Amino acid sequence: MSEAKYPITGSCQCGNIKYELLEPPLFFAACHCKECQKLSTSAFSITAMVKTDSVKFQGKMKSWSRVADSGNTSGAMFCPTCGNRIYHFDPSEPDTLKLKPSNLSDTSIINPTIHIWVSEKQNWYQIPSGVKVFNRQP
């Protein structure tokens, strides 16, 4: 992992949504739940938990939400043109966002230290040693 210089820019695939991450994320997590597998079309989805005021967005996004297993609302903001997810949020936790960091211009900062919903993990994926592991949502 390189020493990142902030702010780091990010954008959706088509470039209609742009943003700046002003400071390091609180942490990176890999979620192995079936919903995140659908989202990422892969074995897991990566999230950077950030303070809401540490990221500045440009462009008009659309929203979508669902009720999570916890009973909480899981909201998502995405580009209406290319469909790229930009971040997720829980309306009951307005001080944090779950940024989708693969949209960053410098992805070398991504290093998940937490793996959640490993009860739904793909059998072929091996979780690295030294990370926190949770069978479900912590």
Side-chain angles (χ1 to χ4, degrees), residues 91-136:
S92 69
E93 297 179 11
D95 295 334
T96 57
L97 299 176
K98 300 165 188 157
L99 190 68
K100 304 314 290 178
S102 295
N103 294 326
L104 289 168
S105 59
D106 180 2
T107 56
S108 68
I109 68 167
I110 299 172
N111 184 22
T113 56
I114 299 170
H115 285 251
I116 62 174
W117 281 97
V118 297
S119 60
E120 296 184 0
K121 178 182 82 60
Q122 294 293 318
N123 290 333
W124 53 264
Y125 180 75
Q126 299 300 312
I127 294 176
S129 61
V131 299
K132 292 180 183 174
V133 176
F134 298 91
N135 278 332
R136 297 180 59 110

Side-chain angles (χ1 to χ4, degrees), residues 1 4 9 19 26 43-44 48-49 53-54 57 64 91 96 99 112 135:
M1 185 164 62
T9 60
Y19 64 90
L26 303 170
F44 53 86
M49 185 66 77
D53 62 1
S54 73
F57 298 100
W64 176 81
T96 57
L99 190 68
N135 278 332

Side-chain angles (χ1 to χ4, degrees), residues 50-62:
V50 299
K51 291 186 263 177
T52 300
D53 62 1
S54 73
V55 61
K56 303 295 180 204
F57 298 100
Q58 296 176 356
K60 187 166 175 70
M61 291 184 260
K62 285 196 132 190

Side-chain angles (χ1 to χ4, degrees), residues 34-69:
K34 296 297 184 191
E35 291 296 324
C36 280
Q37 290 178 36
K38 288 178 184 180
L39 164 66
S40 67
T41 67
S42 188
F44 53 86
S45 177
I46 299 173
T47 295
M49 185 66 77
V50 299
K51 291 186 263 177
T52 300
D53 62 1
S54 73
V55 61
K56 303 295 180 204
F57 298 100
Q58 296 176 356
K60 187 166 175 70
M61 291 184 260
K62 285 196 132 190
S63 65
W64 176 81
S65 65
R66 68 178 178 85
V67 176
D69 284 351

